[in-house]
Structures are given as C-alpha cells and as structure tokens.
Amino acid sequence: MRIDIISVLPELMESPFQTSILKRAVEKKLAEIHFHQLRNWANNKHRRVDDEPYGGGAGMVMMVEPLDLCISDLKSQRNYDEIIYLTPDGETLNQKTANALSIKTNLMLICGHYKGIDERVRELHITKEISIGDYVLTGGELAACVLADSVIRLLPGVLNDEQSALTDSFQDDLLSPPIYTRPEEYKGLKVPDVLLSGNFAEIENWRHEQALKITQKKRPDLLF
Ligand code: ADE
C-alpha cells in the first residue's frame, strides 16, 4: 500500500512512521508513506496557502489552487482508490472503515488547517471525508497518523501472531475480554481458574461470554 499525505506540517507526522510497528511495516515495504509539503505548490511569492474567507468571519481558509495543483500532480502519476480529507465533519473512523481501506493500493490523505479547505477542493477531488472523533484538532496531521496506523496494522505481514489483529476489540463488533499474564495471584487478585484449566473450548466460551458482558456494559450501542 502507498499512502501520500499532503500537509503544511509534514514534520509533525514523521515520528509515528519511524517507530515500532509502523517503522517495520515501512522497512518491509508493506507500506510506503510519502509526505508532500503543500507550500511547494503555492504559486506566489511567500508560498502562501491560506487566505481570508469570502463573506467575512474568523479564521483563514486553505486556498483551492495549491491543493488542486498538488492533488492533480499526484493523480497524474497513479490512480488513487480514495482521496481522503481529514475533517471533524467527516464520517467517524471505525474498524469497518479501517478494514475497507486496508485492502486498497493507493490512498491520498489531505490534512486541513485553519478553518478548513476551500469547498471547491472537496468538489474537485475529495472522495471520502473522515473524522477521528467529535472534537477539533489543530490540524488534520494527527488524525492522518491515527488513520494510517489503524490501516497499516491490518496489512498482511505487519503484525506477527502474538499481535494478531483478528482478536482486536471491534473486529467482531465486540470489545475484548479481560486478559492476564503472570503471576497467577497478585495482591489477592487471582487469574480466573478457567484460564489456567488448559481446556481451550471452555476458555473460548468464557472469553466470548466476557466479551459480550463487557460490550453490554461499556458499549451497548455496538450490540444493535
Ligand atoms: N481535523 C481537526 N479535527 C479533526 C478531527 N477530529 N478528525 C479529523 N480531522 C480533524
């Protein structure tokens, strides 16, 4: 998978891809990440990419031309499955969307700043709008990292068996059951007997029951 990320602050996104699992995914060439500094497509003296909103109001707007030129440039080089604008008014990211994006080949992520992007960029290029939650960030960069992380970890070969994505919370619309490691007892708190029983059918049953119980308690909305 190739992910192109357009931003005025690409340096903000460097470390997540240079650390741990994402770094390994990049080194193993399972994921290719390309950052693009939007200012390089600004055809003006000060490489400005924002301007005041028509009609007045607070905040600046990201101009249509630099974004159009940058996106068009990239589009002329390959076909993109999705051109995604990270924005608080997009559809909220969930595991289903991450799963769907993980089988794509080329994704482009657009990070907004200030009040957002000129509406015509959406009309011309954006195929999907994603929010990572009902709160407002200073820009789309951290949201782009969250989205990329949720997608890249699903690519075949990125996680090893112990980290398997198949048993994640949400992967079957249930939260994960409780998990334990050594010691068997800590400050009087014991690991449930069933987990020490060696009876794998019973363990599976118990885990499923616990997952249902926890989902019912913490996120009943997932069950309907
Ligand atoms: N940009 C600013 N806030 C955001 C959010 N919650 N999700 C995605 N992009 C954003």
Side-chain angles (χ1 to χ4, degrees), residues 6-22:
I6 300 173
S7 161
V8 286
L9 289 174
E11 62 276 16
L12 188 57
M13 295 176 279
E14 280 166 10
S15 87
F17 301 99
Q18 290 170 356
T19 314
S20 187
I21 294 172
L22 298 189

Side-chain angles (χ1 to χ4, degrees), residues 8-56:
V8 286
L9 289 174
E11 62 276 16
L12 188 57
M13 295 176 279
E14 280 166 10
S15 87
F17 301 99
Q18 290 170 356
T19 314
S20 187
I21 294 172
L22 298 189
K23 175 183 178 185
R24 212 181 53 216
V26 170
E27 283 173 354
K28 284 166 85 179
K29 305 225 179 317
L30 301 169
E32 246 184 72
I33 314 292
H34 296 265
F35 295 114
H36 305 279
Q37 169 53 263
L38 180 62
R39 291 189 196 285
N40 295 340
W41 281 268
N43 281 332
N44 56 65
K45 210 167 76 191
H46 299 292
R47 300 212 298 163
R48 259 186 86 169
V49 295
D50 64 320
D51 208 338
E52 290 161 2
Y54 277 120

Side-chain angles (χ1 to χ4, degrees), residues 50-204:
D50 64 320
D51 208 338
E52 290 161 2
Y54 277 120
M60 302 295 271
V61 179
M62 287 176 77
M63 294 154 64
V64 60
E65 190 186 60
L67 277 166
D68 178 39
L69 292 176
C70 178
I71 296 169
S72 299
D73 234 4
L74 292 172
K75 271 171 126 176
S76 72
Q77 294 167 44
R78 67 196 62 76
N79 286 324
Y80 286 89
D81 298 291
E82 297 284 3
I83 300 183
I84 302 170
Y85 174 42
L86 283 310
T87 172
D89 62 17
E91 63 176 84
T92 310
L93 177 62
N94 58 25
Q95 193 60 44
K96 198 164 147 234
T97 305
N99 289 347
L101 292 176
S102 74
I103 57 171
K104 307 293 187 191
T105 309
N106 292 311
L107 299 177
M108 195 191 303
L109 309 185
I110 316 295
C111 305
H113 261 268
Y114 322 112
K115 273 282 160 198
I117 61 175
D118 188 304
E119 187 64 21
R120 290 164 291 189
V121 180
R122 301 195 201 215
E123 287 169 28
L124 285 169
H125 297 294
I126 303 298
T127 62
K128 206 172 184 56
E129 300 180 343
I130 293 183
S131 161
I132 62 161
D134 290 342
Y135 44 83
V136 181
L137 304 167
T138 54
E141 284 76 10
L142 297 179
C145 291
V146 168
L147 174 62
D149 184 299
S150 74
V151 170
I152 291 171
R153 67 188 288 285
L154 298 173
L155 300 176
V158 171
L159 298 185
N160 55 38
D161 266 0
E162 296 99 81
Q163 299 160 335
S164 168
L166 293 175
T167 56
D168 286 343
S169 273
F170 298 113
Q171 204 53 272
D172 49 9
D173 280 338
L174 292 178
L175 301 182
S176 295
I179 49 169
Y180 300 86
T181 185
R182 281 180 285 198
E184 280 182 35
E185 185 174 340
Y186 186 74
K187 294 189 173 172
L189 299 172
K190 288 189 180 150
V191 175
D193 286 339
V194 60
L195 297 179
L196 310 172
S197 68
N199 183 331
F200 290 105
E202 264 186 40
I203 292 172
E204 267 320 292

